[in-house]
């Protein structure tokens, strides 16, 4: 039975998910201690694990170290601290005193105070199926410096070995999956950039080194935060491993005091015994059910004008693109950069969010009306958090950017970062965004952020460090306010590609721009890493022109489409100049995508052959009686014979129809033997196979 219970005689809380159990207890000194995380256990089984604190067996190794529910420094605790505080008199150690707890609607709150100082700590736990959300809340009657405030410490069962799965990358090469043994000591994955970053993503998965796609125990931890963050794994010589994570970075201090509480972002944890595939499917289900704002919707096929026009934006040019897009079956037309201010390049105009009347003599309404008349929704690109020094906004408000006195203001992409922690900047941003959306009937915002923080100062503010957290909170609040005032508005998160993808921004976005790299071959690996945690229904993927502007590689149009059709399909090429045969193929494939879209965007994912080499890559989505198989041969070597592809997620007792070429298959055969793919010969060959369960 799922839920939360308190075993009063053992001072233990048991949180039971759909197929897993988590438990914590109060130690003899009121320190909250981890008890268990893993396969479902009855309460009696948990009681067996609630042994008393173990005695020291030498003067250097605490046998209980690493088992604190929220690791703190102080006393003889030397584990990686999740919570570090410094009181006004210089005291740093925290001593717990349990006060009480509440259990309401799947939400556990455990309240503590410090034994001497007026600091209150509440540990939060919320069950979401088999995902457990944890976060921490701090309040104080006098000022307290919080040097580190992680959301949670996750203690894993002792294992013979530990293997870590995570993603790394850079611009145009995001979410590259790595699996490697966990080093002893502390290993930190982080962003100090003020954004999630292209270089790492705030999640890890841990197994014992034997898990596969289908089998084995996997533990996952993910952080719902879009600013600077860190996740630290700590592996001791005794074999214990923890994962601690939260917002912030070294050198940035949070201050808690009267009317200044601190609430950390959610750290979500998941256990599964079904391997990496089951872990991903559980994360996807969690994001759809509890994170995304409109998970029941189908994301439209979009067209974006950037690669066709760059900054050379005119009303006539946008109308021509919109007419061609509508004829192909596109449902959402998005005009990108270059429509405002003196924005004829990346050197000027950013921050001056008024329509360029030389390019749009009557404003945006005629274009928006024309797009709506073509049966499409209208979207527009914005970058609210940035400003060019060559802009009217910067000349009027140079103090609005993040900066330090007596220090240069470093430019990246010829722009600076506005300080969204300032209330006047927040109101300015809301005012023009509200008018842009409301006065023009805008249906969709592509919200971009094309550089990280630098010189993140706030002259005149007594607590400048709060900028690092409050900038992100202000962006969240602005997105929430816009969505509340314009309930039909949909938003895509972008940060120079995939620099802002995380559970925090997904709670306020309908989709994310995965990478500026639209090269179909590279996208197979980018999308593979993305899909470890995040669902295809939020993954924006475009078909663009040859050669690709990032890699200079040329790939057949069908292959480009088939790769992009594995997520939220978009087009970004200069379609006005596409030859007739490409337009005809695009029209057919968009229609095909719209048919299979519910399965792709809402179905469960099965990875059948990952992109570990340059051979065949394949995966499958299943939704109810329908299944869609995607298969890609990247490169053909030595005339190797094609192998049938074993599928997953089907009913072995059923038969499945393949409408094209009109044949049927036994579910048992597809699972045990496989599906003949019939890939065309040569490199860059691909197929998309639709299978429908035959109703008898």
């Amino acid at each position: 039975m799922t839920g939360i219970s308190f075993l009063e005689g053992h001072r233990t809380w048991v949180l039971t998910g759909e197929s897993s159990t988590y438990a914590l207890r109060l130690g003899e000194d009121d320190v909250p201690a981890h008890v268990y995380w893993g396969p479902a256990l009855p309460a009696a089984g948990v009681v067996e694990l609630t042994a008393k604190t173990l005695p020291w067996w030498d003067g250097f190794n605490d046998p209980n170290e690493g088992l604190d529910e929220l690791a703190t420094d102080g006393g003889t605790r030397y584990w990686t601290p999740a919570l570090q505080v410094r009181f006004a008199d210089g005291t740093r150690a925290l001593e717990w005193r349990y006060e009480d707890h509440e259990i309401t609607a799947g939400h556990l709150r455990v309240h503590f105070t410090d034994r001497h100082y007026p600091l209150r700590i509440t540990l939060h736990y919320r069950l979401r199926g088999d995902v457990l959300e944890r976060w921490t809340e701090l309040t104080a009657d006098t000022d307290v410096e919080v040097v580190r405030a992680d959301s949670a410490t996750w203690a894993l069962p002792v294992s013979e070995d530990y293997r870590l799965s995570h993603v790394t990358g850079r611009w145009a090469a995001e979410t590259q999956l790595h699996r490697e043994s966990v080093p002893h000591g502390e290993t930190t994955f982080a962003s100090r950039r003020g954004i999630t970053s292209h270089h790492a993503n705030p999640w890890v998965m841990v197994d014992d080194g034997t898990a596969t796609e289908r089998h084995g125990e996997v533990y996952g931890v993910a952080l719902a935060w879009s600013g600077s963050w860190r996740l630290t794994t700590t592996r001791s010589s005794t074999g214990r491993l923890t994962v601690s994570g939260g917002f912030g970075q070294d050198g940035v201090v949070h201050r808690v005091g009267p009317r200044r509480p601190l609430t950390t972002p959610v750290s979500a944890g998941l256990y599964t015994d079904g391997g990496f595939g089951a872990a991903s499917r559980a994360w996807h289900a969690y994001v759809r059910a509890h994170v995304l704002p409109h998970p029941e919707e189908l994301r439209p096929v979009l067209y974006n004008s950037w690669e066709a026009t760059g900054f050379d934006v005119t009303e006539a040019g946008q109308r021509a693109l919109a007419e061609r897009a509508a004829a192909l079956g596109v449902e959402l037309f998005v005009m990108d950069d270059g429509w405002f201010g003196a924005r004829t390049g990346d050197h000027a105009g950013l921050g001056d969010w008024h329509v360029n009347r030389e390019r749009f003599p009557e404003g945006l309404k005629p274009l928006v009306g024309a797009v709506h008349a073509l049966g499409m929704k209208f979207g527009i690109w914005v970058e609210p958090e940035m400003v060019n020094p060559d802009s009217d906004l910067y000349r009027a408000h140079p103090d609005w950017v993040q900066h330090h006195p007596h220090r240069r203001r470093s430019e990246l992409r010829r722009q600076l970062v506005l300080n969204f922690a300032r209330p006047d900047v927040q109101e300015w941003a809301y005012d023009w965004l509200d008018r842009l959306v409301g006065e023009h009937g805008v249906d969709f915002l592509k919200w971009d952020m094309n550089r990280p923080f630098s010189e993140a100062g706030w002259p005149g503010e007594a607590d400048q460090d709060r900028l690092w957290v409050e900038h992100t909170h202000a962006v969240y609040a602005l997105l929430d306010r816009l969505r509340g005032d314009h309930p039909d508005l949909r938003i895509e998160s972008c940060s120079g590609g995939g620099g802002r993808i995380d559970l925090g921004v997904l709670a306020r976005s309908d989709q994310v721009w995965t990478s500026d790299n639209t090269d179909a071959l590279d996208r197979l690996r980018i999308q593979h890493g993305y899909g470890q945690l995040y669902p295809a229904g939020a993954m924006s993927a475009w078909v663009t022109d040859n050669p690709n502007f990032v890699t200079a590689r040329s790939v057949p149009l069908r292959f480009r489409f088939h790769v992009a059709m594995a997520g939220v399909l978009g087009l970004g090429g200069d379609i006005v100049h596409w030859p007739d045969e490409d337009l005809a193929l695009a029209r057919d494939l968009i229609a095909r995508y719209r048919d299979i879209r519910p399965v792709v965007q809402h179905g469960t994912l099965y990875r059948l052959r990952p992109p570990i080499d340059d051979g065949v890559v394949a995966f499958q989505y299943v939704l109810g009686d329908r299944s869609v198989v995607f298969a890609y041969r990247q490169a053909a070597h030595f005339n190797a014979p094609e192998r049938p592809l074993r599928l997953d997620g089907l009913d072995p007792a059923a038969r499945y129809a393949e409408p094209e070429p009109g044949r049927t298959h036994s579910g048992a055969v597809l699972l045990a033997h496989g599906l003949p793919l019939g890939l065309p010969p040569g490199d860059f060959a691909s197929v998309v196979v639709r299978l429908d369960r035959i109703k008898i």
Side-chain angles (χ1 to χ4, degrees):
M1 181 177 177
T2 62
I4 302 173
S5 58
F6 180 54
L7 310 180
E8 188 168 359
H10 302 275
R11 301 214 302 172
T12 297
W13 294 270
V14 180
L15 300 92
T16 305
E18 294 172 355
S19 58
S20 62
T21 296
Y22 188 95
L24 67 146
R25 69 180 178 90
L26 291 175
E28 296 168 355
D29 53 1
D30 275 4
V31 174
H34 176 75
V35 174
Y36 177 79
W37 186 22
L41 268 185
V46 172
V47 168
E48 290 186 28
L49 302 174
T50 57
K52 291 185 177 181
T53 301
L54 299 173
W56 281 64
W57 53 274
D58 68 14
F60 298 94
N61 296 279
D62 183 348
N64 302 286
E65 197 167 42
L67 290 178
D68 286 354
E69 188 67 4
L70 187 73
T72 64
D73 60 357
T76 58
R77 287 181 165 82
Y78 305 107
W79 204 261
T80 304
L83 180 61
Q84 292 177 292
V85 298
R86 184 164 51 220
F87 298 102
D89 62 3
T91 300
R92 297 180 64 97
L94 176 73
E95 293 190 358
W96 300 84
R97 181 171 65 193
Y98 170 67
E99 297 291 331
D100 57 16
H101 74 272
E102 308 162 53
I103 300 174
T104 55
H107 185 173
L108 167 66
R109 301 170 182 85
V110 188
H111 302 290
F112 298 87
T113 60
D114 182 84
R115 288 190 179 274
H116 175 76
Y117 297 94
L119 175 67
R120 293 175 293 278
I121 311 104
T122 300
L123 304 184
H124 292 261
Y125 300 79
R126 183 167 58 201
L127 275 171
R128 303 290 203 185
D130 271 323
V131 172
L132 178 61
E133 297 178 341
R134 295 176 58 188
W135 67 98
T136 302
E137 183 180 2
L138 304 174
T139 58
D141 296 330
T142 60
D143 290 343
V144 177
E145 290 186 345
V146 180
V147 179
R148 180 166 180 162
D150 285 357
S151 300
T153 302
W154 299 89
L156 277 70
V158 175
S159 172
E160 291 293 327
D161 197 7
Y162 299 100
R163 180 174 57 177
L164 190 69
S165 298
H166 64 105
V167 292
T168 64
R170 53 182 168 81
W171 175 80
E174 298 90 335
T175 55
Q176 304 297 296
L177 179 64
H178 299 271
R179 291 203 166 110
E180 53 211 5
S181 179
V182 181
H184 283 76
E186 297 182 11
T187 303
T188 298
F189 305 91
S191 168
R192 298 184 180 93
R193 299 168 185 266
I195 54 175
T196 323
S197 92
H198 304 75
H199 308 80
N201 201 266
W203 65 263
V204 294
M205 296 187 197
V206 180
D207 74 292
D208 66 0
T210 66
T212 66
E213 188 68 21
R214 294 186 176 199
H215 305 288
E217 294 185 311
V218 177
Y219 293 82
V221 173
L223 186 67
W225 184 246
S226 309
S228 292
W229 58 271
R230 60 189 159 201
L231 291 174
T232 302
T233 63
T234 305
R235 183 176 183 180
S236 75
S237 57
T238 60
R240 191 161 290 150
L241 178 73
T242 64
V243 179
S244 184
F247 58 9
Q249 64 196 67
D250 295 341
V252 173
V253 175
H254 313 281
R255 286 172 172 80
V256 177
R259 298 176 301 280
R260 291 186 61 181
L262 180 68
T263 301
T264 69
V266 164
S267 176
L270 168 72
Y271 163 82
T272 180
D273 62 358
F276 297 112
S280 293
R281 288 187 288 276
W283 281 118
H284 299 169
Y286 163 73
V287 173
R288 285 193 291 261
H290 302 291
V291 178
L292 286 171
H294 301 285
E296 75 288 352
E297 293 183 356
L298 292 172
R299 304 310 313 140
V301 178
L302 70 79
Y303 174 82
N304 182 285
S305 67
W306 173 250
E307 292 203 16
T309 65
F311 292 105
D312 188 16
V313 174
T314 65
E315 182 176 339
Q318 296 294 306
R319 281 178 179 264
L321 289 167
E323 290 169 2
R324 181 58 55 87
L328 294 177
V330 167
E331 300 158 309
L332 167 62
F333 179 84
V334 182
M335 179 170 64
D336 212 281
D337 201 349
W339 57 270
F340 57 91
R343 190 71 167 167
T344 58
D346 68 1
H347 62 283
L350 195 60
D352 299 336
W353 297 101
H354 52 82
V355 179
N356 184 318
R357 291 289 176 155
E358 292 183 7
R359 297 180 168 196
F360 298 90
E362 299 180 44
L364 293 182
K365 288 184 179 180
L367 175 62
V368 177
V371 169
H372 286 161
L374 288 167
M376 298 184 294
K377 293 184 176 181
F378 181 82
I380 198 166
W381 178 93
V382 294
E383 193 173 6
E385 297 159 79
M386 299 292 150
V387 64
N388 287 129
D390 185 3
S391 67
D392 293 339
L393 178 71
Y394 185 76
R395 283 184 282 271
H397 301 286
D399 56 320
W400 279 12
V401 301
Q402 299 178 4
H403 69 285
H404 291 295
H406 318 301
R407 292 291 179 264
R408 65 175 59 90
R409 301 183 182 195
S410 301
E411 295 181 25
L412 294 173
R413 207 171 181 256
R414 301 182 181 182
Q415 58 196 51
L416 300 169
V417 184
L418 291 167
N419 179 3
F420 262 52
R422 293 178 58 123
D424 48 1
V425 175
Q426 297 169 24
E427 286 305 311
W428 163 83
Y430 176 78
D431 180 64
W432 70 260
L433 282 163
D434 178 58
R435 285 187 285 104
L436 175 67
V437 173
E439 293 177 5
H440 298 92
V442 170
D443 305 294
F444 179 92
L445 290 178
K446 183 179 178 71
W447 184 298
D448 208 345
M449 185 187 187
N450 275 309
R451 62 154 293 179
F453 291 6
S454 62
E455 293 87 40
W458 187 354
E461 166 60 33
D463 178 12
Q464 295 191 37
D465 278 359
R466 69 188 181 95
L467 181 156
W468 288 93
V469 168
E470 292 193 14
H471 181 105
T472 300
H473 279 313
V475 171
Y476 286 170
L478 180 53
L479 290 168
D480 291 342
R481 186 178 175 188
L482 273 175
R483 298 183 74 101
D485 291 344
H486 303 279
D488 294 328
L489 179 68
R490 300 295 177 260
I491 295 173
E492 178 177 275
S493 170
C494 174
S495 180
R500 190 185 260 168
I501 298 174
D502 56 77
L503 296 175
V505 81
L506 278 172
R508 298 158 174 88
S509 305
D510 301 280
Q511 58 199 63
V512 290
W513 181 224
T514 324
S515 177
D516 282 347
N517 185 351
T518 58
D519 180 295
L521 199 60
D522 286 352
R523 269 299 184 113
L524 287 175
R525 284 161 173 77
I526 292 170
Q527 294 175 185
H528 176 66
Y530 165 96
Q532 300 296 311
L533 196 90
Y534 307 114
M539 182 180 72
S540 187
W542 293 358
V543 178
T544 57
D545 291 339
N546 275 334
N548 185 271
F549 90 98
V550 171
T551 65
R553 181 185 286 121
S554 292
V555 176
L557 183 62
R558 185 181 299 274
F559 193 93
R560 281 178 273 152
F561 258 98
H562 283 169
V563 171
M565 288 165 64
V568 178
L569 177 63
L571 278 72
D574 189 2
I575 55 177
V576 168
H577 295 103
W578 279 15
D580 289 344
E581 58 268 26
D582 285 357
L583 293 171
L585 178 60
R587 190 178 301 109
D588 289 346
L589 290 174
I590 289 172
R592 179 84 176 274
Y593 175 76
R594 290 172 65 170
D595 172 59
I596 64 173
R597 172 169 49 187
V599 187
V600 172
Q601 295 189 14
H602 293 167
T604 54
L605 170 66
Y606 295 89
R607 292 184 289 262
L608 307 176
R609 290 182 188 166
I612 56 176
D613 53 30
D614 63 354
V616 173
V617 177
F619 47 85
Q620 171 190 5
Y621 296 103
V622 177
L623 182 65
D625 292 332
R626 301 185 69 191
S627 179
V628 179
V629 178
F630 291 81
Y632 314 88
R633 183 194 299 117
Q634 301 168 90
H637 291 289
F638 310 113
N639 194 29
E642 184 176 282
R643 294 176 292 152
L645 179 69
R646 292 181 65 178
L647 304 188
D648 209 336
L650 303 179
D651 181 356
R655 292 197 66 82
Y656 291 84
E658 185 182 352
E660 300 172 10
R663 56 188 178 187
T664 65
H665 307 271
S666 158
V669 171
L670 292 174
L671 294 168
H673 175 71
L675 173 74
L677 292 173
L679 282 165
D683 299 344
F684 304 126
S686 58
V687 293
V688 176
V689 179
R690 171 184 153 186
L691 297 169
D692 298 328
R693 179 172 175 164
I694 299 172
K695 298 186 183 298
I696 301 174

